[in-house]
Amino acid sequence: MGDKNTSQDILYDAVILKEAKTKEDVITELSNHLLKKGYVNKDYCAATLDREDNYPTGLSTKPIGIAVPHSNPDNVLTEAVIVAVSENLVKFNEMGNNTSLVDVGIIFLLALKGENNHLNYLKNIINYFKQSNNVNFFYKLRPEKQIKNIFLKDVLQIQ
Amino acid sequence: MGKKVKILCCCGAGICTSNYLREEIEDRVKEEGLNKNVSVNLCRVTDVDETLATGNIDLLVTTVEMKNDYPIPMIRALGIMLDENAAKKALDEIIANVRKVMEN
């Protein structure tokens, strides 16, 4: 597990969202973050919003939900994974169940190219956040640097 | 030796959760000693109709809601990722379906 994730070329970043109130706010803000850094093209945001509308990615972990928005690799220039903690809980639709909503506080934007990468990240993220004490601990982490450290060390286990 | 069973996993992107399912299914199939009898393919949910039309698929496993009905058994298996009890139940059901196809 995780060997493929040690690539030096992947950007890992942590963001604290103070203003976001909707899932569109979250995805737009995180996509723009990547766009500014030159990791995705200008179509990435719309494609990911569209994907989220059709095939939602909210997961009802306890006591707060997580979401793993992603879209096809065409708009990704350089691979990146951003973890965001949103101070406002934001409603995402639940994965595989388009009618139920999840209050999400932690978001992982997966801007990846290779399908196996997707799989490894998803597995590591779900395994960690299945445990509610991990959800609680992670949601309270501050500042960004600390969020990133714990994400790499405990969630992805690559440092 | 029964016939070879073809499983199709689908999700929104055809890369993320469907891949997760494939890994879990392949692990379980190996445990059951059936890996010579089963193949698992992936596709996007938007390509399911086309894939079923061309592929002699025996069983559909999905993480997303399906809008249509299909003539083959379908298993909603999102629980495989999230919950150990649900995972066991879904994988048991998949294996039962595989054995049924092999006997026919």
Side-chain angles (χ1 to χ4, degrees), chain A residues 58-78:
Chain A
L59 294 166
S60 58
T61 49
K62 301 287 177 274
I64 46 177
I66 64 173
V68 289
H70 58 274
S71 62
N72 57 352
D74 306 351
N75 303 312
V76 177
L77 306 174
T78 308

Side-chain angles (χ1 to χ4, degrees), chain B residues 34-69:
Chain B
L34 298 171
N35 37 338
K36 287 195 176 62
N37 309 78
V38 178
S39 66
V40 186
N41 293 316
L42 307 180
C43 78
R44 287 180 202 195
V45 65
T46 44
D47 300 335
V48 164
D49 291 27
E50 201 180 320
T51 311
L52 291 184
T54 55
N56 305 321
I57 305 292
D58 300 296
L59 175 65
L60 183 62
V61 182
T62 169
T63 58
V64 295
E65 282 189 51
M66 305 301 287
K67 294 188 174 58
N68 306 336
D69 284 330

Side-chain angles (χ1 to χ4, degrees), chain A residues 1 51 55 59 70-73 94-99 110 115-116 118-120 122-123 126-127 130, chain B residues 12-17 19-20 22-24 27 42 44-46 63-65 76 78 81-84:
Chain A
M1 269 312 299
R51 165 63 46 81
Y55 304 107
L59 294 166
H70 58 274
S71 62
N72 57 352
E94 190 170 8
M95 194 186 280
N97 177 352
N98 301 19
T99 50
L110 309 175
E115 55 180 45
N116 291 325
H118 267 290
L119 179 66
N120 286 343
L122 197 63
K123 269 200 168 165
I126 288 172
N127 281 336
K130 266 180 189 171
Chain B
I15 49 176
C16 196
T17 55
N19 224 317
Y20 199 124
R22 175 166 65 181
E23 246 189 37
E24 296 290 329
D27 285 352
L42 307 180
R44 287 180 202 195
V45 65
T46 44
T63 58
V64 295
E65 282 189 51
R76 289 280 306 275
L78 190 66
M81 302 191 329
L82 305 176
D83 174 306
E84 275 165 35

Side-chain angles (χ1 to χ4, degrees), chain A residues 129-141:
Chain A
F129 289 96
K130 266 180 189 171
Q131 299 167 48
S132 58
N133 56 339
N134 285 347
V135 176
N136 278 327
F137 169 75
F138 199 92
Y139 190 62
K140 293 193 184 88
L141 289 171

